[in-house]
Amino acid sequence: MHVLHMNTGEGETSYAKNSQLQKKIISVGSSMVESAIFSIMLEVQPKSMGVADLGCSSGPNSLTAVSKIIHTVNVVSQQIGLSVPELRVSLNDLPGNDFNDVFKSLPELYNKMKKDYGIEDCYVWGLPGSFYGSLFPAQSLHFVHSSSSLHWLSQVPLGLKPKAGTHLNKEKLYLSKSSSMTVVRAYQQQFHEDFSLFLKSRAKEMVSKGRMVLSFLGRRSPNPCADEACYQWELLGNALMSLTLDGLLEKEKIDAFNAPYYAPSLEEVAREVEYDGSFVVDGAETFEIEWDDGDKSDFNISSGYRVAKTIRAVVEPMLESHFDLGTELMDELFRRYTKIIDDCLSKTKLKYINLVISFMRNE
Ligand SMILES: C[S@@+](CC[C@H](N)C(=O)[O-])C[C@H]1O[C@@H](n2cnc3c(N)ncnc32)[C@H](O)[C@@H]1O
């Protein structure tokens, strides 16, 4: 949790400049957000509505989801003849997030709310802390949203601690086709612990019949080691391994790294929901998102370059903290990663699987 944050600022490698893919992911979940808000307004009719966006990050996407939510509350209220509720909106992320950057965009959001919808009763604040644990007062939330965040675990799986000085997941950064059952179980166990704590925490904080729409990377295959769930890590591991072959990085450092990440299947999520018992799943969809979903009009920029930049903006702080590569070697790593991705994309289209799931808080 101390090293997990996106690349800050507005430079070439920043998350602000390289988060179009995540923006697309927010938009594919928007119809589920609309129906969840419709249900809340119809069934709960709150006078004061608690809304939270978990893992808001900073940059152009951090207010995208909440702007859409506020807009939808306004439209739905008019459709069903209710006055727009007072809106209490929390933007949550880990304490290392650049909340000051987010706050700078708030006046623009308030102006838009006032000008376009006449909404004045809208209060937005930042809330630093992990969503794997308690964040809000009991029964204060009506709608919880999160996009591109819940595939991050709270920590590297505890079951991956080296045994007798030997690393368990050598040469790999995450699960892969060659992972042993011990490694697979360690990741599954950490997902179970984290997701069950997430549900337990939100269950306390949400009102009865409140809704939650969560969108994150996952998989269709029952196999956690399927390419669709792991391949970006596999190729990044290959790029790091090529640095060790050239004597630029110790192999032991790669052996010791394990990403705090897990791409679950819908079935695994449903199992956690059943185990927790406080929510029902009232909608679930899987979407394929192309690795290179960006603007392909500039022929001087390869697909691999765009994909590698999108991934770099997310994982660089974590890699820097573990591998201590420095700027030049980090640039070299991502040049090699770009080439590896371009080679793969010349043979096949690579796609992420994104899950969007809508939950209702039980009575
Ligand atoms: C890829 S960004 C997504 C940002 C934004 N929602 C979007 O769609 O562009 C993932 C964010 O989740 C945050 N995050 C990861 N684990 C978290 C946790 N346990 N609690 C709160 N935020 C977390 C990260 O710090 C990061 O800002």
Side-chain angles (χ1 to χ4, degrees):
M1 282 200 288
H2 299 294
V3 292
L4 185 63
H5 62 82
M6 309 296 101
N7 266 348
T8 52
E10 302 204 342
E12 262 309 290
T13 58
S14 64
Y15 186 68
K17 283 251 167 76
N18 296 285
S19 47
Q20 294 84 350
L21 183 97
Q22 290 85 349
K23 193 173 196 81
K24 163 98 191 259
I25 290 176
I26 293 176
S27 76
V28 296
S30 65
S31 64
M32 231 183 254
V33 168
E34 281 164 22
S35 33
I37 291 175
F38 193 84
S39 305
I40 297 167
M41 295 308 294
L42 208 58
E43 295 165 15
V44 187
Q45 303 195 351
K47 299 261 178 299
S48 174
M49 183 169 178
V51 172
D53 187 35
L54 308 180
C56 63
S57 199
S58 60
N61 292 0
S62 54
L63 296 179
T64 305
V66 296
S67 310
K68 170 81 185 153
I69 292 165
I70 297 169
H71 168 77
T72 308
V73 171
N74 183 55
V75 171
V76 171
S77 303
Q78 285 176 14
Q79 276 172 355
I80 56 182
L82 294 172
S83 44
V84 182
E86 169 191 78
L87 286 156
R88 296 172 276 115
V89 182
S90 302
L91 297 166
N92 155 260
D93 207 291
L94 290 169
N97 186 50
D98 189 353
F99 280 100
N100 280 335
D101 175 77
V102 181
F103 295 154
K104 280 185 206 140
S105 317
L106 283 184
E108 204 183 313
L109 177 78
Y110 283 130
N111 279 342
K112 189 173 155 59
M113 295 306 123
K114 205 165 156 186
K115 207 163 114 251
D116 295 358
Y117 320 131
I119 296 182
E120 301 215 28
D121 262 359
C122 175
Y123 308 91
V124 186
W125 53 81
L127 181 60
S130 173
F131 47 57
Y132 295 121
S134 210
L135 282 172
F136 302 94
Q139 301 195 1
S140 60
L141 295 177
H142 296 79
F143 184 59
V144 172
H145 177 265
S146 179
S147 191
S148 296
S149 303
L150 267 150
H151 40 243
W152 293 109
L153 297 171
S154 67
Q155 59 184 344
V156 172
L158 286 174
L160 291 182
K161 278 214 173 116
K163 298 238 158 58
T166 305
H167 296 293
L168 297 177
N169 197 23
K170 286 187 181 165
E171 300 184 13
K172 302 291 173 191
L173 309 183
Y174 175 56
L175 293 174
S176 86
K177 291 237 170 72
S178 59
S179 296
S180 67
M181 269 323 284
T182 311
V183 174
V184 174
R185 284 208 194 97
Y187 269 103
Q188 286 175 323
Q189 179 61 22
Q190 191 63 49
F191 168 73
H192 161 67
E193 280 171 25
D194 285 346
F195 207 79
S196 57
L197 181 56
F198 178 87
L199 291 176
K200 200 166 156 226
S201 311
R202 299 301 82 76
K204 274 197 200 135
E205 298 161 352
M206 289 177 66
V207 301
S208 166
K209 296 203 171 165
R211 300 296 203 282
M212 178 160 79
V213 174
L214 307 179
S215 172
F216 46 91
L217 294 178
R219 57 179 212 274
R220 280 191 179 132
S221 165
N223 178 6
C225 303
D227 277 349
E228 63 183 23
C230 311
Y231 211 47
Q232 69 274 32
W233 293 108
E234 185 74 20
L235 300 186
L236 186 55
N238 293 350
L240 279 160
M241 281 301 289
S242 80
L243 293 183
T244 69
L245 291 176
D246 291 344
L248 298 168
L249 178 69
E250 281 169 54
K251 181 179 161 300
E252 203 271 334
K253 285 214 158 172
I254 304 180
D255 294 348
F257 182 91
N258 293 296
Y261 173 93
Y262 189 72
S265 63
L266 277 178
E267 290 70 26
E268 281 172 310
V269 175
R271 220 174 294 142
E272 295 305 330
V273 173
E274 202 176 316
Y275 171 83
D276 173 80
S278 309
F279 291 93
V280 287
V281 172
D282 65 356
E285 283 185 59
T286 49
F287 294 93
E288 286 183 349
I289 311 269
E290 268 189 56
W291 277 25
D292 180 20
D293 197 54
D295 175 10
K296 300 184 180 93
S297 58
D298 186 347
F299 295 115
N300 294 317
I301 295 178
S302 75
S303 283
Y305 182 75
R306 276 189 294 269
V307 173
K309 266 183 95 193
T310 302
I311 295 179
R312 179 172 183 168
V314 173
V315 300
E316 183 168 357
M318 197 186 308
L319 295 184
E320 189 48 43
S321 132
H322 179 87
F323 292 103
D324 201 10
L325 293 176
T327 315
E328 267 177 40
L329 209 45
M330 188 65 82
D331 288 346
E332 178 57 22
L333 170 68
F334 279 94
R335 266 192 294 278
R336 293 180 185 210
Y337 192 35
T338 297
K339 183 164 180 330
I340 293 172
I341 296 170
D342 273 327
D343 285 349
C344 281
L345 288 177
S346 68
K347 292 176 211 128
T348 178
K349 259 197 182 145
L350 293 166
K351 289 172 180 164
Y352 298 112
I353 303 296
N354 193 75
L355 312 182
V356 187
I357 311 174
S358 178
F359 306 75
M360 183 188 78
R361 175 74 174 95
N362 285 340
E363 298 294 314

